[in-house]
Amino acid sequence: MGELTVWLGTYSNATAGPLAQGSSTVITLFAVVAGIMLFSHRLPTRTNYAARLAAIVFACFCTPAVMTMLAPLASITITPAVGYVAMFVCYSLLLCVCVLVVRAVREASAWSAMFCATAGYTIQNLASGTMEFVARQLREVGVDPTQPGIYLTMYLLCICAVLLGAWWFLARHIDSDGLAHIDSHSLAFMMPVVCVCIIGFDVMIKAMDGAGVGIAFSVLLRLFHAMACVGTLWVEYQILFRSQLEHERQVTERLLAEHDRQLRLSRENIDAINVKCHDLRHQIRSLADGGAVVSGDALADLAREVRVYDSSVKTGNEALDTILTEKRLVCEGRDITLTCIADGEALAMMAPADIYSLFGNALDNAIEAVSALADPKRRSITLVVRRAMGCASVHVENFFDGEVREGPDKLPLTSKKDQVNHGFGTRSMQAVAQRYGGTFSAVADAGTFRLDLMLPLE
């Protein structure tokens, strides 16, 4: 960090005034924020994001003013040794504040916030160390790096160069899914590593520069500091990469489990159809062999059973027709009323696999919920697919008993005890909506569960 070097007395002969010191602090805060945002901008924002961000920006702008006012007092009462200790403590506290800030404005777990804060802070420290190295070289050739114009230009160029390199080699390879599913306690270990190996090492080099250490030794220390920063970023990327691999493994296992479940349900439906067909053949043979007049009740019962298998749905979309026909058979077998008003052509931009996954999960969840209801009037499901405001609108509504718990991502949690192998359907539906640039919401209120998707029409 270079912004408090003048303030804490490292450059005893500095000519930079309070304006330059305040500007330096603003630039450093900007570098910290920019480094963190290289990663955190991919995470979803929290509610009241604008108000939260405005409060944080206000605090950031107040910080340079307070430090500028304290600068004359600090230069008198703080010795260089105490100043360097204070510098280390302030920077370490700032790192902790950065973690809290990320959590305040972004929908991030503690581990995701730690990754963004430590990685961004390390990037800023690498830029600051580069700037200190360049300043030392300028001083050796007779150029005063504490002149406001030279100092600010040099710092901005170093920040831009390091940020560009960090984005090219690291940040652009990380997506929101990778950040959202970080669940590694190793990141808690990275907090003290950054404090000691990055911040502490940087402060130690500043102290040696202030004591007049030789330029060759100073260059060597700065190279080691740069290597420590790059090594820390590499370790954090490996932690993220391993966490993402573990998440993808769990996703694959859940998808296989979901596929097996769908296959099992299909086999059960086929078995049920075979049993019914066998029963129908016996009923028809019995009526034919009896030679008596067939009663109206017997014909009505036969017509009702046949009507179950004449429940094919025609929406204009073959994939949607297939899944709705299958689920209607399931509903008929469980005495559930499934009401469909569907414009299948509105989903023409979707892949058949996505349609089957989306509606299969939505209707399976609804069927499971209403199957547990004792009141026959509440054993109903409503499905509406239509065009609205340039989007394909999907609405699924059903009754339920009990409470729906929400996870940190505001999505409903599974009611099953096995949290690992269940509860993936809702996330899968949300992933489908995001894949097509749409929105997904699931709301439970007063015994009614409503699921809504809006998918832009191409």
Side-chain angles (χ1 to χ4, degrees):
M1 294 273 184
E3 73 285 349
L4 294 183
T5 305
V6 177
W7 176 48
L8 292 172
T10 301
Y11 301 139
S12 57
N13 61 345
T15 60
L19 179 61
Q21 297 171 30
S23 300
S24 175
T25 305
V26 170
I27 293 175
T28 298
L29 291 175
F30 163 78
V32 172
V33 172
I36 294 174
M37 286 191 66
L38 278 178
F39 310 99
S40 65
H41 78 280
R42 300 180 183 274
L43 296 170
T45 58
R46 291 190 181 272
T47 56
N48 300 322
Y49 172 76
R52 293 168 184 258
L53 188 61
I56 293 171
V57 171
F58 177 76
C60 290
F61 275 100
C62 288
T63 301
V66 173
M67 294 176 65
T68 300
M69 289 187 294
L70 293 177
L73 178 63
S75 63
I76 295 173
T77 59
I78 297 180
T79 63
V82 175
Y84 289 121
V85 174
M87 187 186 301
F88 172 77
V89 173
C90 287
Y91 297 157
S92 299
L93 290 176
L94 181 59
L95 175 60
C96 298
V97 170
C98 288
V99 176
L100 298 177
V101 168
V102 173
R103 294 214 67 188
V105 299
R106 298 286 178 176
E107 293 283 356
S109 65
W111 312 116
S112 298
M114 284 183 187
F115 174 85
C116 295
T118 52
Y121 206 88
T122 301
I123 289 171
Q124 186 281 329
N125 216 274
L126 180 60
S128 174
T130 304
M131 185 277 299
E132 294 283 356
F133 172 76
V134 174
R136 183 63 185 264
Q137 305 308 309
L138 292 177
R139 194 177 292 109
E140 290 296 324
V141 296
V143 178
D144 183 7
T146 62
Q147 291 295 325
I150 297 176
Y151 182 85
L152 298 179
T153 301
M154 175 179 59
Y155 204 175
L156 284 173
L157 289 176
C158 290
I159 289 173
C160 292
V162 173
L163 286 176
L164 181 61
W167 175 81
W168 181 260
F169 291 106
L170 184 62
R172 72 189 183 100
H173 302 292
I174 300 175
D175 56 21
S176 57
D177 287 340
L179 286 176
H181 298 103
I182 297 178
D183 187 18
S184 175
H185 294 187
S186 301
L187 286 169
F189 175 72
M190 294 306 299
M191 291 286 288
V193 167
V194 171
C195 289
V196 175
C197 299
I198 304 301
I199 298 174
F201 194 11
D202 181 60
V203 171
M204 183 192 72
I205 297 174
K206 286 180 170 63
M208 290 185 174
D209 284 343
V213 70
I215 185 172
F217 189 58
S218 177
V219 169
L220 184 63
L221 289 176
R222 279 298 167 194
L223 288 175
F224 277 122
H225 179 261
M227 292 172 61
C229 291
V230 173
T232 299
L233 291 173
W234 181 83
V235 170
E236 291 203 272
Y237 182 78
Q238 290 300 312
I239 293 174
L240 176 65
F241 181 70
R242 291 177 183 272
S243 180
Q244 189 167 5
L245 284 180
E246 176 62 20
H247 173 69
E248 290 177 355
R249 183 189 65 80
Q250 293 177 0
V251 168
T252 301
E253 290 181 353
R254 290 171 178 175
L255 284 173
L256 289 174
E258 180 68 15
H259 176 75
D260 290 341
R261 187 179 69 87
Q262 292 284 355
L263 182 59
R264 187 178 67 254
L265 287 175
S266 297
R267 286 175 177 172
E268 291 176 359
N269 292 336
I270 292 172
D271 290 342
I273 290 173
N274 290 334
V275 171
K276 280 295 184 180
C277 288
H278 180 74
D279 293 342
L280 286 174
R281 284 197 300 269
H282 278 288
Q283 293 181 38
I284 293 172
R285 186 179 300 114
S286 176
L287 291 173
D289 295 341
V293 177
V294 181
S295 67
D297 291 340
L299 289 176
D301 291 340
L302 185 59
R304 181 180 59 81
E305 294 186 355
V306 171
R307 191 163 52 246
V308 170
Y309 307 106
D310 190 28
S311 57
S312 61
V313 181
K314 302 297 181 183
T315 66
N317 186 297
E318 184 177 356
L320 184 60
D321 294 345
T322 301
I323 187 65
L324 291 183
T325 299
E326 178 183 346
K327 299 308 175 185
R328 176 165 285 182
L329 287 171
V330 176
C331 290
E332 289 282 356
R334 300 188 184 184
D335 294 325
I336 298 172
T337 302
L338 175 59
T339 303
C340 297
I341 303 175
D343 176 10
E345 294 180 356
L347 304 177
M349 74 289 190
M350 295 184 65
D354 290 332
I355 292 176
Y356 196 87
S357 173
L358 174 63
F359 288 92
N361 281 310
L363 292 175
D364 283 344
N365 292 341
I367 291 171
E368 181 180 357
V370 299
S371 294
L373 301 178
D375 186 358
K377 295 181 180 179
R378 301 180 66 206
R379 296 168 66 89
S380 64
I381 302 170
T382 301
L383 170 68
V384 179
V385 180
R386 62 190 180 94
R387 291 181 175 91
M389 298 179 292
C391 295
S393 170
V394 179
H395 175 80
V396 181
E397 184 172 324
N398 63 271
F399 295 105
F400 76 98
D401 280 340
E403 296 182 359
V404 176
R405 297 179 298 115
E406 292 184 346
D409 52 6
K410 305 301 181 183
L411 293 179
L413 294 175
T414 179
S415 59
K416 298 182 176 65
K417 294 182 180 180
D418 187 357
Q419 299 284 332
V420 175
N421 294 318
H422 295 282
F424 185 63
T426 306
R427 295 182 183 276
S428 176
M429 289 185 284
Q430 184 186 50
V432 171
Q434 292 176 346
R435 190 176 304 128
Y436 291 92
T439 60
F440 172 88
S441 67
V443 179
D445 181 36
T448 303
F449 186 84
R450 292 181 294 273
L451 185 148
D452 290 281
L453 293 90
M454 295 291 286
L455 307 174
L457 295 172
E458 293 184 353

